[in-house]
Structure formats: structure tokens, C-alpha cells
């Protein structure tokens, strides 16, 4: 019997990288709430994109896991070995 379970995400982002990701992500996520769009659809699209990118950065900072780093084989955490 096979069970479907989510793989445990091994941390691959170090502490300094995490802080930078959270700060930059929070700034980007705040853009849609701080800049008026005046109905311009291009500006609205840019704001939504910045907001989503910001949320992604905050999530990767909080989780200490970056899927891009994983795909590229990058690990900025110090190994215990």
C-alpha cells in the first residue's frame, strides 16, 4: 500500500539570506497597498506581480527553503558534518 506524503523540505537557505528575503519580500508585498494605480492596467499588473514575488520571498525566508536553490543544487546552509 502506497501512501502519498509531502517530502520534508530540507533547509537550504542560511540565516542572512533568510533575513534579506523576508525584508525584501515584505517591501515588495507592500507595494500593491502603497502605490496608487489610477486604473492603469499595466501598473496594476506590475503591482500584483511584485506582491506575489514578495509573498514568495517571505515564504522562502520563513521556511528556510528555496525551490530554485533546490533545482540548481545550491545550499547556503552550513552542514553539520
Amino acid at each position: 500500500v502506497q501512501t502519498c506524503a509531502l517530502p520534508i523540505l530540507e533547509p537550504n537557505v542560511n540565516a542572512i539570506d533568510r533575513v534579506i528575503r523576508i525584508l525584501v519580500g515584505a517591501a515588495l508585498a507592500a507595494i500593491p497597498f502603497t502605490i496608487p494605480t489610477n486604473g492603469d492596467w499595466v501598473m496594476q499588473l506590475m503591482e500584483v506581480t511584485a506582491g506575489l514575488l514578495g509573498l514568495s520571498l517571505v515564504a522562502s525566508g520563513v521556511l528556510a527553503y528555496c525551490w530554485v536553490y533546490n533545482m540548481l543544487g545550491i545550499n547556503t546552509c552550513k552542514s553539520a558534518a
Side-chain angles (χ1 to χ4, degrees):
V1 174
Q2 283 186 322
T3 60
C4 183
L6 292 174
I8 296 175
L9 303 177
E10 297 242 355
N12 61 359
V13 178
N14 69 8
I16 296 171
D17 198 1
R18 290 177 70 185
V19 170
I20 292 170
R21 285 171 184 265
I22 292 171
L23 292 176
V24 172
L28 285 173
I31 287 176
F33 303 105
T34 57
I35 299 176
T37 59
N38 299 328
D40 183 10
W41 70 270
V42 174
M43 190 63 173
Q44 289 176 352
L45 181 63
M46 290 173 57
E47 286 181 356
V48 168
T49 303
L52 292 174
L53 179 62
L55 290 176
S56 174
L57 286 173
V58 169
S60 69
V62 169
L63 296 174
Y65 177 80
C66 177
W67 63 272
V68 176
Y69 277 10
N70 188 32
M71 287 176 42
L72 297 175
I74 298 171
N75 187 348
T76 59
C77 289
K78 293 180 181 175
S79 62

